[in-house]
Amino acid sequence: MPDPTSTPVKLSLTSLVVFGLAYMCPSLVMVIFGVISESSQGIAPTAFLLATGAMLLSALSYAKLSRLFPVSGSAYYYAKRLLGPGCGFFVGWAVLLAYLFTPMVAWLLQSVFLNAQFPMIPTWGWLLINIGLTTAVNVSGMALTDRLNKLLTALSVTLVLLFVGYCLKYLAGQPQVGFTQAVWNVDSSFAGLTVAAAIAAYSLLGFDAVTTLAEEAERPQRDIPRAVILVISLGGLLFTAVAYIMQLSHPSGLFADPETATYSMSITVGGQFFADFINLGGIIGGFASCLAVQVSASRLLYFMGREDVLPRRYFARLQGKGQAPVFNLLLIAGLGGIGIAADVSSGASLINFGAFLAFAAVNACVIGYYLRERRKQRLSARGFVVLPLLAIGVNLYLLSLLSTAVILVGVAWLGCGGLYLMYLTAGFRKPVPGLIEVEP
């Protein structure tokens, strides 16, 4: 059962969806459009749509399990309950890799954008400012985080739509627009599309973070599953629609620099001042994302502390008027300082290792639930076996695209987890720590 000391703030379905969208960062589509378009030979919207469908398969599994087990442990808890305590520990350890690195990467990416806009402050300076501001907000409690998330996400979406509006105005002045070329063209190939979709899938991570707030939700068994599906659906469709308009405005996969493609397009469709102004969309959305990812990581640490996997006296404490896991938030803030000596690409790759491994495990949990309950309940083999098997294949494929170095680091991380588990269980002579009982 949920811990009675949990924060009194209860999140509505709207708050949960906004939290997930903030985590995903609506303006991210503008940041990575050039890379996706170049990889797909000019069919970025198709790549985003395919990626959305691929991630939706895992989202369906998260929705099923969050309805059955409305606790904040997410993939860690599901695996522990349905695949066994030992397997659950390793899934939780893999998720921990993703959740601990995500805030660092979010803060670093945000700092890079701010440094580009305001170069008088170095990137490391912006990094410290970002860490300090987001930590201060989150330490104050979920109420302020929720309100700020809604405001910043709304502003971010507004600026994205403003950019789309300028693109449409630009297109209206063009003599000929190939509406189908942005979906498929003579240069397109299935191989290029799948590579681009794999990159796009990385940008859609975050729908699962909603499940870490199960104990803060007003009606978790109803709202968490709905929020998971709404986040991936709305986020994916927004990314696809924006990418379509952008691809029409630039009907090619060729760019002088794909990483700054959106800035160049902003100058083309609205002028220099507009380009500088629209860049604020990425900064605003980035701050909301920083808030969300730090909260999610702190909640996972809180849950693992509550189960004595991590030291309870530190990790399972809620403090202050806002009843926030202050120690966890400060620890994540401290780890974020590593970003001074890190780079975005390496950190993002490690996040992907943990995320896709966890996604595969969650889909395996759905199959495990089907095998355990099929004689007691009428369960659809398609929904509980076929689709999860397909999702496992997708996630293992995405995992295989990571570099050998990243996979080796990920395996080393799991090895460290094995050593820590040996310590917790006195050489496997004692059971794996705690399993909070929640009946489906």
Side-chain angles (χ1 to χ4, degrees):
M1 296 297 292
D3 192 318
T5 63
S6 294
T7 172
V9 175
K10 292 298 180 181
L11 302 177
S12 65
L13 176 60
T14 299
S15 293
L16 293 168
V17 172
V18 171
F19 177 89
L21 291 175
Y23 193 111
M24 195 176 288
C25 190
S27 57
L28 185 59
V29 60
M30 297 163 61
V31 176
I32 65 171
F33 167 77
V35 175
I36 303 297
S37 181
E38 183 180 62
S39 300
S40 64
Q41 289 86 44
I43 52 170
T46 309
F48 275 112
L49 189 61
L50 181 60
T52 300
M55 290 296 98
L56 185 59
L57 292 172
S58 292
L60 290 170
S61 291
Y62 271 94
K64 288 183 178 73
L65 295 177
S66 64
R67 182 178 291 109
L68 294 167
F69 307 109
V71 294
S72 296
S74 190
Y76 161 66
Y77 181 85
Y78 307 150
K80 218 174 184 189
R81 186 63 187 265
L82 295 167
L83 302 180
C87 184
F89 173 86
F90 280 104
V91 171
W93 194 256
V95 172
L96 204 56
L97 178 66
Y99 275 46
L100 289 179
F101 270 89
T102 299
M104 183 197 77
V105 171
W107 281 321
L108 181 57
L109 190 60
Q110 175 79 340
S111 301
V112 169
F113 273 106
L114 281 164
N115 175 253
Q117 192 84 17
F118 307 104
M120 67 289 297
I121 299 178
T123 300
W124 64 264
W126 281 119
L127 182 68
L128 296 177
I129 291 170
N130 279 314
I131 292 173
L133 286 175
T134 52
T135 302
V137 171
N138 284 327
V139 164
S140 71
M142 189 61 75
L144 178 59
T145 301
D146 179 37
R147 289 196 296 270
L148 202 53
N149 251 338
K150 288 177 179 175
L151 174 63
L152 294 178
T153 303
L155 286 172
S156 177
V157 172
T158 299
L159 288 172
V160 171
L161 295 178
L162 179 64
F163 173 74
V164 169
Y166 269 80
C167 286
L168 291 173
K169 181 181 177 182
Y170 170 79
L171 287 170
Q174 299 303 301
Q176 187 175 1
V177 178
F179 292 101
T180 61
Q181 284 193 335
V183 178
W184 196 264
N185 57 56
V186 294
D187 297 319
S188 304
S189 68
F190 183 73
L193 174 62
T194 55
V195 170
I199 300 171
Y202 302 149
S203 68
L204 295 170
L205 301 182
F207 62 86
D208 59 304
V210 173
T211 60
T212 65
L213 300 180
E215 293 168 29
E216 280 72 37
E218 289 178 353
R219 289 169 285 191
Q221 288 183 294
R222 188 198 76 163
D223 289 348
I224 294 293
R226 291 183 179 183
V228 168
I229 301 301
L230 282 171
V231 167
I232 188 63
S233 300
L234 293 174
L237 290 175
L238 174 66
F239 280 25
T240 301
V242 173
Y244 179 70
I245 299 300
M246 293 179 71
Q247 195 70 79
L248 291 179
S249 302
H250 185 93
S252 168
L254 301 176
F255 301 89
D257 182 357
E259 293 187 359
T260 60
T262 297
Y263 188 75
S264 299
M265 289 179 63
S266 298
I267 295 174
T268 300
V269 302
Q272 184 67 55
F273 176 80
F274 175 73
D276 291 335
F277 177 74
I278 211 67
N279 205 38
L280 290 174
I283 294 172
I284 292 171
F287 189 79
S289 181
C290 290
L291 288 172
V293 297
Q294 189 182 23
V295 167
S296 294
S298 71
R299 292 293 157 177
L300 177 63
L301 291 172
Y302 169 74
F303 188 88
M304 295 180 79
R306 208 170 68 184
E307 286 210 318
D308 293 313
V309 172
L310 298 173
R312 175 184 286 265
R313 62 181 295 188
Y314 300 112
F315 290 92
R317 292 180 63 195
L318 297 174
Q319 298 172 275
K321 185 177 179 181
Q323 288 290 278
V326 176
F327 176 83
N328 301 347
L329 292 167
L330 293 177
L331 175 63
I332 294 162
L335 292 173
I338 298 173
I340 294 175
D343 65 272
V344 173
S345 179
S346 299
S349 295
L350 289 172
I351 292 168
N352 295 333
F353 178 88
F356 291 126
L357 198 61
F359 287 1
V362 167
N363 284 287
C365 288
V366 173
I367 297 172
Y369 182 81
Y370 174 83
L371 295 175
R372 193 183 74 173
E373 300 291 330
R374 68 186 188 282
R375 291 187 178 87
K376 303 175 187 177
Q377 306 178 49
R378 295 184 62 183
L379 300 173
S380 165
R382 182 184 65 178
F384 282 80
V385 178
V386 177
L387 292 180
L389 277 174
L390 184 58
I392 289 172
V394 168
N395 286 295
L396 292 181
Y397 167 72
L398 292 170
L399 197 63
S400 72
L401 295 178
L402 299 175
S403 70
T404 302
V406 167
I407 292 175
L408 289 175
V409 171
V411 171
W413 171 260
L414 294 177
C416 291
L419 294 175
Y420 181 56
L421 183 59
M422 285 181 64
Y423 165 76
L424 289 175
T425 58
F428 302 112
R429 292 191 296 272
K430 296 192 301 185
V432 176
L435 179 61
I436 300 169
E437 293 299 323
V438 177
E439 291 299 327

